[in-house]
Amino acid sequence: MIIGKTGTGKSVLCNRIVGHDYDSDIFPVSDGATSCTQSTILATAHFNGDKEKPPVNVIDTIGFDDPKNDTDVKIIAELVSKLKNNCDYVNLFGIAVNGQAPRLDGSLVAMIKIFEEMFGQGFWKQCVLLFTRIRMSESERKRRVKLTKKSDEERATECVKEV
């Protein structure tokens, strides 16, 4: 299950996880000012398109802090309903964080707390941070080190400690 704020690239990430182009129709994406995902999407596909291995279930969630939705409470209610009716368990929670601006603002912290309350302390044992929207070429990595005076690994470690 991929969770995060609106605009972090959750749907693009889901498409890439299942081995499709970033803009595949499996998980519709929006490059505009408004979000595209307006309901939780559950899909079964092969990880990285590898048909030799069993398929995986991927869950793309509505973005929190979306101006198109009245409140995050509605998002949570819709997600809980989908999970209860269509999913027996969740193996991995991926928290998508915009790598271009990896700040933990109030809405992201509130979202994480809600999931912790929903799934208990076991949530953290099955949780990873996923940095999206960040170029990983060697030249871009060097540029970030020059700008921030920290490696990507150091920045990620700081973010994990904050969470």
Side-chain angles (χ1 to χ4, degrees):
M1 176 185 311
I2 307 299
I3 59 177
K5 289 182 59 171
T6 295
T8 57
K10 294 179 303 299
S11 298
V12 168
L13 178 61
C14 288
N15 282 324
R16 297 304 295 149
I17 287 171
V18 299
H20 287 264
D21 289 337
Y22 73 93
D23 59 353
S24 173
D25 290 336
I26 293 177
F27 300 99
V29 300
S30 169
D31 61 357
T34 59
S35 64
C36 186
T37 307
Q38 293 301 309
S39 67
T40 300
I41 300 172
L42 290 86
T44 300
H46 294 278
F47 181 75
N48 205 24
D50 185 354
K51 293 186 169 121
E52 298 293 317
K53 295 188 177 153
V56 295
N57 295 313
V58 179
I59 305 169
D60 185 14
T61 61
I62 303 169
F64 284 75
D65 211 19
D66 187 343
K68 279 178 120 181
N69 290 304
D70 292 340
T71 64
D72 290 344
V73 172
K74 288 182 182 178
I75 295 169
I76 293 161
E78 192 266 349
L79 173 62
V80 169
S81 173
K82 282 265 175 98
L83 290 176
K84 277 186 177 179
N85 295 317
N86 301 298
C87 185
D88 293 331
Y89 53 89
V90 176
N91 288 320
L92 181 71
F93 296 91
I95 301 174
V97 176
N98 182 345
Q100 295 171 346
R103 291 189 177 91
L104 294 178
D105 62 11
S107 63
L108 182 59
V109 170
M111 176 202 67
I112 291 168
K113 285 181 181 178
I114 288 166
F115 277 88
E116 183 181 40
E117 287 174 18
M118 283 171 56
F119 296 100
Q121 286 299 309
F123 168 75
W124 293 109
K125 292 178 183 175
Q126 295 171 245
C127 190
V128 295
L129 284 181
L130 304 165
F131 294 93
T132 60
R133 300 182 159 272
I134 189 165
R135 297 175 191 263
M136 294 305 295
S137 69
E138 189 60 33
S139 62
E140 286 293 322
R141 290 177 73 127
K142 286 179 181 177
R143 185 184 68 76
R144 283 193 298 277
V145 168
K146 188 176 180 179
L147 286 172
T148 64
K149 309 291 188 245
K150 296 176 187 173
S151 70
D152 285 346
E153 290 76 17
E154 290 169 315
R155 293 173 63 214
T157 299
E158 286 176 0
C159 193
V160 168
K161 284 179 184 174
E162 270 189 70
V163 171

